[in-house]
C-alpha cells in the first residue's frame, strides 16, 4: 500500500492510503479543490478522527462527489452536524475497538486523548502484505492502551505539534491556550513524541516514521529533527509531512 500524506497541520489534514483497488482518506479537512489540486483520485471511504474543522471541513462535499462512505464516531457526527453539511452522505458510526473491512484494507479505530468527544485514531492493515500503518495526531498523551495498538505497526505518522519553549514564549498565546495545548487533552510536543518512540517502539520493526501536525507558530521541521537527533539519534528513516511513502 501507499501512503500519501497530503496535508498535516492546523490549516487542514488529509491522508490518502491506497492500493490499485482501494483508496481511502484519513480525515478531509481541506476543500475539494485543495484535495485534488494535483489530480483527482478515487475515494472509497473517509475515516474521520474527530470533530475539529481542520480534520473534517471538506468531508461532506468530497464524500458526496466521490460517492464515498463516511466513518466517524456518533458523538462527532452529533457535534458537527449543525455546522457542516453531511446531508446525503453515507454515514457509518464506529467506536474505538471496531475493525472495518474496506476492500484491500482492515481499518482499526482506537481512542485518543483530545479535547473533542469521540476522538479516535486509525491503524490500516494491508490484507495481502499484512503491513500496518498507524496514523495518530491530536492527542495530549499516549496511553497504555494506545501504546499497545501502536506497537503493532510497521510504519507511523505521529504528531510532533510543538516545541515547549516556543509554545510557552509565543507572544500571541494566552496562558489558557498554552495550558490547553500542552495538557493531557491537547497536542504532543516534539519531546513527548521522541521519548515515546524511544521508550516503547521496536526500531527494528518500524520501517519509517513521519512527523506531522506541526504547529506553524510554535514549531519548525528543523526543531523536530533536532529533538529527534538529541533523544533518538539511532532512528534514521524519518520524514516530515507532507510526504508520500510506500509500505
Amino acid at each position: 500500500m501507499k501512503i500519501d500524506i497530503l496535508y498535516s497541520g492546523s490549516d487542514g489534514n488529509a491522508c490518502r492510503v491506497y492500493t490499485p483497488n482501494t483508496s481511502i482518506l484519513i480525515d478531509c479537512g481541506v476543500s475539494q479543490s485543495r484535495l485534488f489540486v494535483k489530480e483527482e483520485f478515487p475515494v472509497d471511504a473517509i475515516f474521520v478522527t474527530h470533530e475539529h474543522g481542520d480534520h473534517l471541513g471538506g468531508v461532506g462535499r468530497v464524500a458526496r462527489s466521490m460517492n464515498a462512505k463516511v466513518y466517524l464516531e456518533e458523538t462527532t457526527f452529533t457535534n458537527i452536524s449543525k455546522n457542516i453539511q453531511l446531508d446525503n452522505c453515507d454515514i457509518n458510526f464506529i467506536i474505538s475497538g471496531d475493525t472495518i473491512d474496506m476492500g484491500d484494507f482492515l481499518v482499526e479505530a482506537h481512542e485518543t486523548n483530545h479535547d473533542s468527544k469521540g476522538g479516535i485514531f486509525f491503524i490500516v492493515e494491508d490484507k495481502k502484505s499484512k503491513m500496518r500503518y498507524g496514523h495518530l495526531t491530536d492527542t495530549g498523551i499516549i496511553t497504555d492502551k494506545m501504546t499497545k495498538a501502536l506497537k503493532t505497526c510497521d510504519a507511523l505518522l505521529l504528531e510532533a505539534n510543538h516545541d515547549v519553549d516556543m509554545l510557552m514564549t509565543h507572544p500571541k498565546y494566552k496562558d489558557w491556550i498554552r495550558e490547553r495545548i500542552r495538557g493531557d487533552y491537547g497536542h504532543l510536543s516534539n519531546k513527548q513524541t521522541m521519548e515515546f518512540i524511544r521508550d516503547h517502539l521496536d526500531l527494528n520493526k518500524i520501517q519509517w516514521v513521519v512527523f506531522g501536525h506541526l504547529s506553524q507558530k510554535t514549531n519548525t521541521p528543523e526543531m523536530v529533527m533536532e529533538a529527534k537527533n538529541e533523544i533518538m539519534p539511532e532512528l534514521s528513516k524519518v520524514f516530515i509531512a507532507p510526504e508520500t511513502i510506500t509500505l
Side-chain angles (χ1 to χ4, degrees), residues 192-228:
Q192 282 176 288
T193 299
M194 304 311 163
E195 289 181 345
F196 166 76
I197 297 172
R198 180 195 65 192
D199 295 341
H200 296 286
L201 298 185
D202 181 357
L203 299 187
N204 293 318
K205 174 179 175 60
I206 297 295
Q207 295 204 7
W208 46 260
V209 176
V210 177
F211 299 115
H213 215 289
L214 277 65
S215 168
Q216 295 178 333
K217 297 179 180 178
T218 59
N219 209 358
T220 66
E222 292 76 18
M223 297 187 81
V224 173
M225 296 306 295
E226 181 180 343
K228 194 281 298 182

Side-chain angles (χ1 to χ4, degrees), residues 115 167-168 172-183 186:
D115 57 356
L167 174 66
M168 298 308 292
K172 294 186 178 181
Y173 277 171
K174 296 181 179 180
D175 287 344
W176 71 267
I177 297 178
R178 296 189 182 100
E179 293 308 313
R180 172 199 171 264
I181 293 172
R182 67 180 300 196

